[in-house]
Amino acid sequence: MDKATTIKLPPIQIGPETGNGKRRPRSSSIAEEVLDQNAYVNLNADWVNAKGAWLIHVVLILVGKIVIDTLPGMTQQLSWTLTNLCYDALSYLMFHHVRGIPFSPSMHNGAYDDLTLWEQIDDGQLNTPAKKWLVSVPVGLFLISTHFTSYDPWIFALNLTATLVVLIAKLPQLHRQRLRLFTDSETASGTSTPISASFSTPDSRRSSITDITDRNFR
């Protein structure tokens, strides 16, 4: 009887990662993106609706205020101003600057890599209860700090500027919008654009192209 032939197949990896350990490139398909986002619970944003998540903002503000008051030579005007500025800065950094999921990013196949935490909350829905609460907290802290600083115009302007920066980033018009001040160096070709050649005659066109090639690409 003939001996059975064994066929060895190459290993097949099923999942979001390719053979070199990197995730496969993101597709522009909206349906695929929705499926990847709903594959697992997004723990990075789901905690916002957890029990006690709203109260933690008030607790952190009070704890920060107490810590700032312990600094020597601290006044109530400066204390409330620093409390407001620190909360606005940390809030902007956490909700509007950092993108993606810091832990297990491959779980959703990179569907959240280009989204901030604010854009991930409630699957990107606008005007939800959680987002309304996150808008009301900096507004309330601004009003309290303005009252305890005796409506000093300079301190008022400083607190107002910090509050507006945080609130503007939460506007629906800026959802998934990015402000890039500098061009990525990797996307620049580093080669100057050639000057258009004249098209009077075939001979002149050939000589112009030759000149441009010698001048720019030698």
Side-chain angles (χ1 to χ4, degrees), residues 58-92:
V58 180
V59 173
L60 291 177
I61 291 174
L62 293 178
V63 171
K65 177 67 169 57
I66 295 175
V67 173
I68 294 176
D69 285 339
T70 59
L71 298 178
M74 185 61 59
T75 62
Q76 286 300 311
Q77 288 187 346
L78 185 58
S79 175
W80 279 107
T81 301
L82 291 178
T83 302
N84 181 60
L85 295 179
C86 290
Y87 177 82
D88 290 341
L90 294 176
S91 175
Y92 183 88

Side-chain angles (χ1 to χ4, degrees), residues 6 26 43 45 60 67 71 75 78 88 90 107 117 127-128 130 163 171 177 204-206 208 215 218:
T6 303
R26 291 292 307 151
L43 300 178
L60 291 177
V67 173
L71 298 178
T75 62
L78 185 58
D88 290 341
L90 294 176
M107 180 179 295
L117 177 57
N127 300 322
T128 59
T163 305
L171 291 177
Q177 300 297 323
S204 63
R205 178 170 67 252
R206 188 180 301 110
S208 299
R215 183 172 63 256
R218 178 176 295 177

Side-chain angles (χ1 to χ4, degrees), residues 194-200 204-212:
I195 304 174
S196 301
S198 61
F199 295 92
S200 56
S204 63
R205 178 170 67 252
R206 188 180 301 110
S207 62
S208 299
I209 295 176
T210 303
D211 294 340
I212 293 172

Side-chain angles (χ1 to χ4, degrees), residues 12-187:
I12 300 176
Q13 183 175 6
I14 301 176
E17 296 187 352
T18 58
N20 56 3
K22 297 181 180 179
R23 293 194 304 271
R24 59 178 172 83
R26 291 292 307 151
S27 172
S28 58
S29 173
I30 299 178
E32 181 181 351
E33 182 177 352
V34 173
L35 291 175
D36 291 337
Q37 291 179 356
N38 295 328
Y40 303 94
V41 177
N42 185 4
L43 300 178
N44 186 48
D46 190 63
W47 66 270
V48 178
N49 293 307
K51 183 181 296 185
W54 292 15
L55 184 62
I56 194 64
H57 292 268
V58 180
V59 173
L60 291 177
I61 291 174
L62 293 178
V63 171
K65 177 67 169 57
I66 295 175
V67 173
I68 294 176
D69 285 339
T70 59
L71 298 178
M74 185 61 59
T75 62
Q76 286 300 311
Q77 288 187 346
L78 185 58
S79 175
W80 279 107
T81 301
L82 291 178
T83 302
N84 181 60
L85 295 179
C86 290
Y87 177 82
D88 290 341
L90 294 176
S91 175
Y92 183 88
L93 179 66
M94 180 177 181
F95 288 100
H96 305 288
H97 180 71
V98 179
R99 291 183 293 177
I101 301 178
F103 50 88
S104 299
S106 61
M107 180 179 295
H108 297 273
N109 194 27
Y112 296 103
D113 285 354
D114 198 39
L115 297 180
T116 62
L117 177 57
W118 178 261
E119 295 166 344
Q120 298 176 30
I121 296 175
D122 296 327
D123 296 327
Q125 299 181 26
L126 305 176
N127 300 322
T128 59
K131 289 188 174 181
K132 290 180 180 179
W133 166 253
L134 293 175
V135 170
S136 63
V137 172
V139 173
L141 182 58
F142 164 73
L143 296 177
I144 295 175
S145 61
T146 301
H147 172 74
F148 282 98
T149 54
S150 304
Y151 301 94
D152 183 272
W154 293 105
I155 299 179
F156 174 84
L158 182 61
N159 288 326
L160 179 62
T161 301
T163 305
L164 287 179
V165 170
V166 176
L167 294 181
I168 290 176
K170 293 178 170 60
L171 291 177
Q173 292 80 3
L174 296 181
H175 187 70
R176 294 198 177 191
Q177 300 297 323
R178 300 290 181 264
L179 178 61
R180 294 180 173 88
L181 300 179
F182 302 99
T183 304
D184 189 0
S185 58
E186 296 181 357
T187 60

